[in-house]
Amino acid sequence: MKLKNIPNILSVIRILLVFVFVYLVFVTDNLLAALFVFFLAGATDVVDGYLARRNNWITNLGKILDPFADKLMQCTVLVCLWIKNIVPIWFALAFFLKEFITLLLGALAIKRRSVNVVSRWYGKLAVCLFYLTIAISVIWKDFLSANPIIALLIYVPTAVFGIGAMLGYIKHYSYLKKEAVCKDGIINNIRKGK
């Protein structure tokens, strides 16, 4: 096994943990164990990102596997918790929109070889708030169900940060695309002797 494949293996493990999460939620009804699996998946994401950047173990497969594993886990968590009446539908839909658009932007950026897909600080903040909100939703589900105003005070800021991160990525990738197009134009002009 090549060491540079370790981040990809961790991404595959994260995908497999999605099925473990679903099993724990619907078959065993053990939400705390499912929450642990969710955080374990998040830890593998942090480790594989750290190893890939620190050791330059970035592969074309990893550029696809890593965001796919993240989005699959997060969207699965939202669907499961919505079905269980733990998170509201509007909160789930807000994050579906964010994840779909950021995944699409990442795919477009990967398509242009001159553009590297990187996490921005606002994206990391949105993910941290998302994990915190999911933990609160599971651990204090009965309390939040009985206190809808407090639930709104938790869900609304997280959704706003999520949508804000999406808008930040749209701005960032449109800037990178313009920069890449400009660079391509300069290179083409040099080749043509202009």
Side-chain angles (χ1 to χ4, degrees), residues 4-182:
K4 68 183 268 184
N5 288 325
I6 291 175
N8 294 343
I9 292 168
L10 289 172
S11 291
V12 171
I13 289 170
R14 196 151 67 254
I15 291 169
L16 295 174
L17 286 175
V18 169
F19 298 100
V20 177
F21 181 89
V22 172
Y23 175 83
L24 289 170
V25 170
F26 292 114
V27 178
T28 70
D29 201 30
N30 191 336
L31 291 174
L32 289 179
L35 183 64
F36 173 79
V37 167
F38 177 51
F39 273 85
L40 179 62
T44 67
D45 182 32
V46 172
V47 172
D48 83 47
Y50 172 78
L51 290 174
R53 285 188 302 272
R54 185 174 186 270
N55 301 302
N56 199 27
W57 291 344
I58 298 167
T59 64
N60 288 331
L61 177 62
K63 288 177 184 178
I64 297 166
L65 262 184
D66 179 59
F68 174 74
D70 295 342
K71 309 308 180 201
L72 181 64
M73 175 56 88
Q74 290 173 21
C75 290
T76 300
V77 167
L78 285 169
V79 169
C80 291
L81 296 187
W82 169 66
I83 290 171
K84 285 283 191 176
N85 292 315
I86 294 173
V87 299
I89 184 65
W90 63 264
F91 179 77
L93 289 175
F95 270 88
F96 276 130
L97 178 66
K98 172 198 175 276
E99 297 306 335
F100 174 75
I101 290 178
T102 53
L103 190 63
L104 183 64
L105 288 170
L108 292 172
I110 289 169
K111 195 174 177 182
R112 296 193 63 88
R113 296 182 186 275
S114 56
V115 176
N116 289 325
V117 179
V118 291
S119 295
R120 312 299 292 173
W121 68 267
Y122 43 81
K124 291 176 181 176
L125 177 60
V127 170
C128 288
L129 283 173
F130 178 76
Y131 271 76
L132 179 61
T133 301
I134 294 301
I136 291 169
S137 299
V138 169
I139 295 169
W140 289 293
K141 65 182 187 307
D142 295 331
F143 174 78
L144 293 178
S145 180
N147 297 276
I149 301 297
I150 294 174
L152 275 177
L153 292 174
I154 292 168
Y155 291 125
V156 169
T158 304
V160 168
F161 269 98
I163 298 298
M166 177 192 74
L167 296 174
Y169 279 117
I170 290 171
K171 183 179 177 184
H172 176 70
Y173 285 120
S174 64
Y175 169 77
L176 286 180
K177 186 177 178 184
K178 287 177 189 173
E179 191 177 66
V181 167
C182 181

